Amino acid sequence: MFKQLTLATLAACFISAPASAQDYPNRPISYILHVSPGGATDIMARKIALGLEKSLGVAVPVENKAGGRGAAQLAELNKAAPDGYTIGSVTSTHIGAFNQTLKQYNVDSFDWIARLVNEPYLLVVNKDSKLNSMKDLVEAANAKPGSVIMAGFVRGSGGHFAWEIMAQSADLDNSKVRWIPYDSVGDAVTATVGGHAEVAIAYVDLVKNQVEAGNLRVIAVMADERVPQFPDVPTFKEQGYDADTSWQQMRGIIGPKGMPDDVKNKLAAAVKEVMETPELQQYMKESSLTPAFQGPTEFTEFARQQDTVTKEWMKRLSMN
């Protein structure tokens, strides 16, 4: 009898034991995004997915679950098994949402697998805009409050906080610029190309083609140095504004809470391998992305630090 109980107990333990990295992965890994197709996060995620397919030997289908500042995407991740077969995109915007519209989650609600890159924010204007610098924007906003329409991601996103940092550096009352939120930065850029907004806050890789086509113009970059794609565009500092360049957009990968450490580490190692391929290195260079890989431990700590900074900005802007 004792022997039977022992065997039964061992069998139960075996069945309930979490998946290990020994045979991981042996089936497709779902990569769920919080943005619409075609945006900067979407483009890079698809490149990462292709690389992972080669590295891990399984399909990595990408699924777009845009809307609600990540609500649909996070709901999918939250209900998925923490076995490494469902992962998701994450940016600084998620952390803002945790403190605002998605308070049912926090940074400890998910597993932080790998940080990929950081990227500087920039201001881009429609081709017909008379704004050629941050000074022009400030003067126009002060002369006629509400006349300057800016497109961006939702209020409380990383891009929104970046704009607040820019405005603060110029002593500009942010209420004088009309902020229009879109479901993604890509949508905001499209709206600016179409003349629905005069200005957008975005990233290099998302506007480069439109700038080259003559549909948009970059007027300022929030970075320590000029970006090579737009060598004629001065930084905020060069224009006389001391904007905090440490606040940049972050892109990374998260998963459901409770993933086995060895699975997380194997997945993170595969991501690092993909990031070091010539294809990804060239893409990051062309897009002015700063390689910023971090594994699970470091990325988790980084997320908590970002959460602290986000809380401080929300308090400053009376958003909490």
Side-chain angles (χ1 to χ4, degrees), residues 25 27-33 40-64 87-89 116 251-253 267 270-275 277 279-280 283:
R27 55 187 172 87
I29 299 171
S30 297
Y31 194 172
I32 304 175
L33 311 186
T41 297
D42 176 78
I43 292 171
M44 183 169 189
R46 292 179 185 277
K47 292 180 180 294
I48 294 293
L50 287 174
L52 288 177
E53 289 181 347
K54 296 177 182 178
S55 177
L56 296 174
V58 297
V60 184
V62 174
E63 182 178 0
N64 297 86
I87 59 176
S89 59
L116 306 175
R251 300 186 202 170
I253 296 174
L267 184 54
V271 171
K272 186 174 187 292
E273 180 181 323
V274 172
M275 295 288 293
T277 61
E279 294 82 1
L280 261 294
Y283 168 75

Side-chain angles (χ1 to χ4, degrees), residues 8 22 45 54 176 191 239 265 287:
Q22 185 173 357
K54 296 177 182 178
K176 293 182 177 180
Q239 296 186 45
N265 290 331
S287 303

Side-chain angles (χ1 to χ4, degrees), residues 228-294:
Q229 291 77 10
F230 309 126
D232 297 329
V233 180
T235 64
F236 275 84
K237 185 175 182 180
E238 288 178 304
Q239 296 186 45
Y241 304 104
D242 190 23
D244 180 9
T245 57
S246 67
W247 183 261
Q248 298 190 5
Q249 177 66 298
M250 166 274 292
R251 300 186 202 170
I253 296 174
I254 57 175
K257 186 68 176 180
M259 293 173 59
D261 288 341
D262 56 352
V263 170
K264 281 192 295 186
N265 290 331
K266 185 171 184 178
L267 184 54
V271 171
K272 186 174 187 292
E273 180 181 323
V274 172
M275 295 288 293
E276 293 173 348
T277 61
E279 294 82 1
L280 261 294
Q281 291 285 318
Q282 182 64 26
Y283 168 75
M284 289 187 289
K285 181 179 180 181
E286 292 175 350
S287 303
S288 277
L289 300 175
T290 303
F293 177 83
Q294 287 181 324

Side-chain angles (χ1 to χ4, degrees), residues 140-181:
N142 283 328
K144 190 176 181 181
S147 62
V148 177
I149 300 175
M150 177 173 290
F153 204 3
V154 291
R155 182 172 168 80
S157 65
H160 173 232
F161 288 143
W163 164 241
E164 295 292 347
I165 291 170
M166 296 174 186
Q168 182 187 59
S169 72
D171 292 324
L172 173 65
D173 180 350
N174 55 48
S175 67
K176 293 182 177 180
V177 173
R178 185 180 172 194
W179 176 273
I180 303 297

